[in-house]
Amino acid sequence: MIVITAPTGNIGRRLLPLLVEAAPAHGEELRVVVRDPARLPEAVRGRVEVVTGSHGDAATAERAFVGADAVFWLVPPDGSTTPERAYSGFTRPAARAFAACGVGRVVGVSALGRGTPQAARAGLVTASLAMDDLIAGSGAAYRALACPSFYENLLEEAGSIREHGVFTDTAAADRPAPLVAVADIAATAAELLLDRSWTGVGSVPVLGPQDLSPDDLARIMTEQLGRPVRYRRQALDELRSALLGHGLDAAFVEGMVAMKRAKDRGLDTGVERSPHTGRPATGFAQWCARTLRPAVLAAPEAADAR
């Protein structure tokens, strides 16, 4: 039995069909934990067991993880509380359930940076690494998928790219760093969840094929979109004000700012690339052509509807 948390999120909705297709050949059954079962794709509803509720709730976790051999763990974003509560607080009931139910293996979505000078002062990343330690202490074998920033974050900039030819972040324009497509995270998770041979605790970096600076991203987007795109560096104080203006918890905002500062100081760099799936990592140009271009070229009304 494999249990999938957050099956309708950016990663989960790509992981679920991979496991639905592959699990029967591996003798695995599937169970999902979801707040709203109506959001599950109709094609998979009859092929998975459904536990309704939040996987951060103790009673739901106990129901979800009984009889589970493996669990895909993802903490949903929550800007209404502190980073510690958002990550370890949400995960603590599940970690107790992993131990009580004898879950054998857990694959969790986490972050790069463990062992770096920035790790202890990296805000949300520091909180994510503490979550990894909590899960590792449950007695289950654990693999943390250590991820950099996602290509998909740029979809939030589609309107600005469409209207002004500009995307924004806080990193130095010429600083290369790794990025990754969420489809590659899902593929790596599926491989690990279907593999019963691994034991112990470890981290698996999931990276795109090359490090890219914001200026590199602008150049590739210009080529793929057929229109000029440039990068605007946002000051951390400007980011802080914008996030607070959206009503996010002040401690969570400081966690976001600290993470951005740490990334600009090299938190994600220096990681060795090694393939963990049978397919090559998604390149940024490929992702732009397949995902960003339709979003940018869509009519504003259609983009808003998405």
Side-chain angles (χ1 to χ4, degrees):
M1 172 69 74
I2 298 173
V3 179
I4 307 163
T5 66
T8 61
N10 278 337
I11 298 172
R13 63 188 173 90
R14 291 167 172 84
L15 173 62
L16 183 56
L18 295 178
L19 291 178
V20 165
E21 292 304 316
H26 288 77
E28 300 280 3
E29 296 181 356
L30 299 177
R31 180 186 295 156
V32 301
V33 191
V34 62
R35 291 177 185 268
D36 181 5
R39 294 185 61 197
L40 291 169
E42 188 173 348
V44 307
R45 289 179 200 169
R47 303 176 68 178
V48 298
E49 180 185 343
V50 178
V51 173
T52 303
S54 167
H55 51 291
D57 172 71
T60 302
E62 291 169 4
R63 288 187 290 121
F65 302 139
V66 168
D69 299 294
V71 172
F72 172 71
W73 182 256
L74 186 148
V75 171
D78 182 4
S80 69
T81 187
T82 68
E84 192 281 333
R85 290 175 181 168
Y87 284 90
S88 290
F90 187 91
T91 302
R92 199 163 282 115
R96 289 194 290 263
F98 295 156
C101 298
V103 172
R105 293 166 295 125
V106 178
V107 176
V109 176
S110 187
L112 294 170
R114 184 175 292 277
T116 67
Q118 296 83 20
R121 301 180 300 279
L124 301 188
V125 169
T126 304
S128 183
L129 298 178
M131 175 198 72
D132 294 337
D133 294 338
L134 181 63
I135 297 173
S138 71
Y142 182 53
R143 289 295 181 271
L145 302 181
C147 303
S149 299
F150 302 168
Y151 294 155
E152 279 72 12
N153 293 347
L154 283 165
L155 292 175
E156 299 176 6
E157 304 277 327
S160 177
I161 294 170
R162 180 190 311 112
E163 301 300 326
H164 307 293
V166 174
F167 74 103
T168 303
D169 202 351
T170 61
D174 59 352
R175 176 180 285 282
L179 297 100
V180 69
V182 293
D184 293 348
I185 303 171
T188 304
E191 181 182 77
L192 288 165
L193 290 165
L194 293 168
D195 178 4
R196 289 176 173 263
S197 67
W198 54 272
T199 59
V201 174
S203 178
V204 178
V206 189
L207 313 174
Q210 62 184 136
D211 289 2
L212 296 167
S213 70
D215 282 347
D216 293 328
L217 299 180
R219 173 180 52 79
I220 294 170
M221 283 189 275
T222 296
E223 294 169 354
Q224 293 297 320
L225 300 177
R227 59 175 67 185
V229 178
R230 61 182 176 86
Y231 173 62
R232 183 181 78 84
R233 187 179 186 184
Q234 182 182 41
L236 290 175
D237 285 344
E238 182 185 346
L239 173 65
R240 179 185 290 109
S241 297
L243 294 174
L244 290 172
H246 283 94
L248 274 65
D249 177 87
F252 191 91
V253 169
E254 290 308 313
M256 178 72 78
V257 170
M259 178 184 70
K260 291 287 191 179
R261 182 185 295 114
K263 283 179 177 287
D264 194 40
R265 293 176 178 174
L267 177 73
D268 291 351
T269 58
V271 182
E272 182 179 350
R273 284 175 168 79
S274 57
H276 293 281
T277 67
R279 66 178 190 174
T282 303
F284 183 65
Q286 176 188 0
W287 179 84
C288 284
R290 185 175 61 200
T291 304
L292 183 63
R293 180 179 172 84
V296 170
L297 299 186
E301 295 81 6
D304 291 342
R306 268 201 307 277

